[in-house]
Amino acid sequence: MQIAFRLLIILLAAIPALAILHDGLVRHALTAAAAVILVFAAMGQEKEVSTAAQILKRFSLTMAFPALWMVLQLAPLPFPSLVNPIWSTASAALGESLAARVSINPGATLQSLIAYLAMLSLLISTVIVARDRHRAETLFYVLTTVTTFMSAEWLIGQLDVFAGLIPPTGSTAASAFTAMAALSALANGAAIVMAIERHLSRRDPENASWIPLLTRLALGAFGLAMALTALKSLAAGGVMASIALGFVAIIVVAVVRRLEIRSWPAIILFASIATIAVAISLLRLQDPSAPTIAGFATFATAESLSVAQRAMADTPWLGNGVGAFRSLEPIYRDFGAAPVPELPSTALAVAIEWGLPALAILVLIAIQIFVFMFRAAIRRGRDSQFASAAAAGVLVLLCMAFFDQSLMNATVQIVAAVMTGLGIAQSAGRTSGPG
């Protein structure tokens, strides 16, 4: 178990360097690393592994859905109404029979399936490793430090001396820094709340030493200031609104636990706040010229929006194949226009590659995970900030999926997988069982 724990820390510590490398190289390295970490994690104490398996059991369908959907897109189907019409066109042009599939690029979809399994392995490994509260706390602070360093890396990259080190704003690599800064703000906010709660929960808080509290508050405030400074130049209004909603989730958990309110009334209270916030966002943030999910993309160019809307209009219910957009893009690009290598938001990519029904299901899955961790944080006896920070992170990343393409970046996926795994692992104490 210690080997898996150390490998996880090494992987997280390498993220600032990985963020400026080519995404394809990162994914190849991650696939091997995730497999090794899972093997060592599974070789740990039987009790920790079995408890983690019990917690993950409730998410079995959730975790299986993306893989099953990609397998469906890869498999030859005998029903013409389900397959992509491009295969019948290609068969007629070539004069030979071709296996009809949903995906127009089976190779890219297979690579996406492997990448998903790597992330799933990383999440499962984290759940196993982080069942121990001391390892969970170390992972939490490593995550907080790494994401804060990413914010500092972005700010340093704005200096003339380091010009060109950081990718330009609007690219997938640059949006990764936005996501990291957002998660850093949430993690540092949760660390501040954790420090205050631990001080207040001491048997004699008035006579307890203030040095640990002030040290943790100073470090949390510094990290929070660093993240917010980076976000000032990185993020648009929609991202900042989603981060504010994440902070509300963390604060609601702390207040509700302090007042000893039951979990479901608290969830209903937060759901009401979130509904109002989303309704206001729908009215203010959507671009009237793109009255679909494309209208929420922050850095969308006119050409990328045009390609996305044309592709969405022709997308079958089962999608065009995960990872297949680059094969699809030349069909919908204007003649003589510059290539559009990536879609302006993760939600658009999912809608076109997975299909709209899958997008709806994936949103519901994210909401399910958020509710589970939010409720678990409220019910948790101590260390609730692990679950509340993870719940807030899932909520913010779900919102950001409609604003930019940060979730398409491998380093963001690594942090998201570890943070979510940490929250799931600490959803209950070692003696209380899963919540």
Side-chain angles (χ1 to χ4, degrees):
M1 187 68 73
Q2 286 299 321
I3 296 177
F5 175 56
R6 289 167 184 166
L7 288 175
L8 265 177
I9 291 177
I10 292 171
L11 178 62
L12 291 173
I15 282 177
L18 296 176
I20 58 177
L21 296 179
H22 189 274
D23 199 64
L25 294 175
V26 176
R27 291 193 182 278
H28 288 307
L30 174 64
T31 301
V36 172
I37 294 172
L38 181 59
V39 169
F40 282 111
M43 293 169 60
Q45 294 182 7
E46 183 178 351
K47 183 179 179 181
E48 291 182 332
V49 176
S50 61
T51 304
Q54 185 182 359
I55 296 174
L56 288 168
K57 186 176 180 181
R58 69 182 64 200
F59 296 106
S60 54
L61 290 178
T62 296
M63 294 185 296
F65 170 75
L68 293 175
W69 194 270
M70 283 183 267
V71 169
L72 175 65
Q73 290 185 329
L74 285 169
L77 299 177
F79 309 106
S81 59
L82 296 179
V83 302
N84 198 294
I86 199 171
W87 291 105
S88 59
T89 304
S91 296
L94 296 174
E96 60 181 85
S97 178
L98 297 175
R101 296 178 171 87
V102 171
S103 176
I104 65 170
N105 189 336
T109 303
L110 180 60
Q111 290 179 354
S112 299
L113 175 59
I114 294 171
Y116 170 73
L117 293 176
M119 291 300 169
L120 183 59
S121 299
L122 199 58
L123 185 146
I124 293 172
S125 300
T126 305
V127 174
I128 297 172
V129 168
R131 279 300 296 158
D132 178 85
R133 66 180 297 270
H134 297 293
R135 290 197 294 261
E137 184 171 350
T138 301
L139 281 175
F140 175 75
Y141 284 124
V142 170
L143 269 175
T144 305
T145 302
V146 167
T147 52
T148 301
F149 187 84
M150 289 283 288
S151 300
E153 189 177 6
W154 170 266
L155 293 174
I156 292 172
Q158 303 311 299
L159 301 176
D160 293 338
V161 179
F162 300 98
L165 177 65
I166 303 299
T169 302
S171 64
T172 302
S175 63
F177 285 89
T178 308
M180 294 296 188
L183 295 177
S184 172
L186 296 175
N188 280 288
I192 292 172
V193 174
M194 184 189 298
I196 296 172
E197 280 202 343
R198 287 188 175 181
H199 182 80
L200 295 177
S201 63
R202 292 176 180 269
R203 292 183 178 181
D204 190 7
E206 293 183 0
N207 296 324
S209 174
W210 286 80
I211 295 177
L213 173 63
L214 294 177
T215 302
R216 290 173 180 169
L217 289 179
L219 290 173
F222 173 79
L224 182 59
M226 189 75 69
L228 293 178
T229 303
L231 286 167
K232 186 177 179 181
S233 62
L234 274 168
V239 174
M240 297 303 292
S242 65
I243 295 170
L245 195 58
F247 278 124
V248 170
I250 293 173
I251 294 170
V252 166
V253 168
V255 172
V256 165
R257 288 184 68 253
R258 200 71 185 169
L259 298 178
E260 298 183 350
I261 300 174
R262 300 188 66 178
S263 58
W264 283 114
I267 292 173
I268 293 171
L269 170 65
F270 181 78
S272 302
I273 298 172
T275 301
I276 295 171
V278 170
I280 294 174
S281 299
L282 288 174
L283 293 173
R284 294 187 177 183
L285 300 176
Q286 190 176 35
D287 184 351
S289 64
T292 62
I293 58 174
F296 295 101
T298 304
F299 297 107
T301 63
E303 183 60 31
S304 65
L305 279 178
S306 175
V307 171
Q309 289 178 309
R310 292 171 193 165
M312 280 186 64
D314 291 339
T315 297
W317 284 102
L318 298 182
N320 291 291
V322 180
F325 173 71
R326 291 194 178 185
S327 300
L328 193 70
E329 183 265 345
I331 301 174
Y332 295 100
R333 188 202 320 156
D334 287 331
F335 179 76
V340 179
E342 53 197 19
L343 288 160
S345 76
T346 303
L348 277 171
V350 173
I352 293 170
E353 296 181 347
W354 297 65
L356 285 173
L359 173 61
I361 293 171
L362 290 172
V363 168
L364 291 176
I365 285 174
I367 294 173
Q368 176 208 6
I369 295 172
F370 165 78
V371 170
F372 171 81
M373 290 191 293
F374 184 80
R375 182 168 177 252
I378 294 172
R379 298 175 63 186
R380 189 79 158 86
R382 62 176 179 176
D383 301 323
S384 62
Q385 270 62 51
F386 299 137
S388 67
V394 168
L395 182 64
V396 169
L397 289 176
L398 172 61
C399 295
M400 289 183 67
F402 292 86
F403 298 134
D404 61 33
Q405 65 274 61
S406 55
L407 266 177
M408 305 294 288
N409 185 273
T411 54
V412 175
Q413 292 173 4
I414 292 171
V415 172
V418 174
M419 181 176 266
T420 304
L422 179 59
I424 292 174
Q426 288 295 310
S427 61
R430 295 173 67 86
T431 58
S432 60

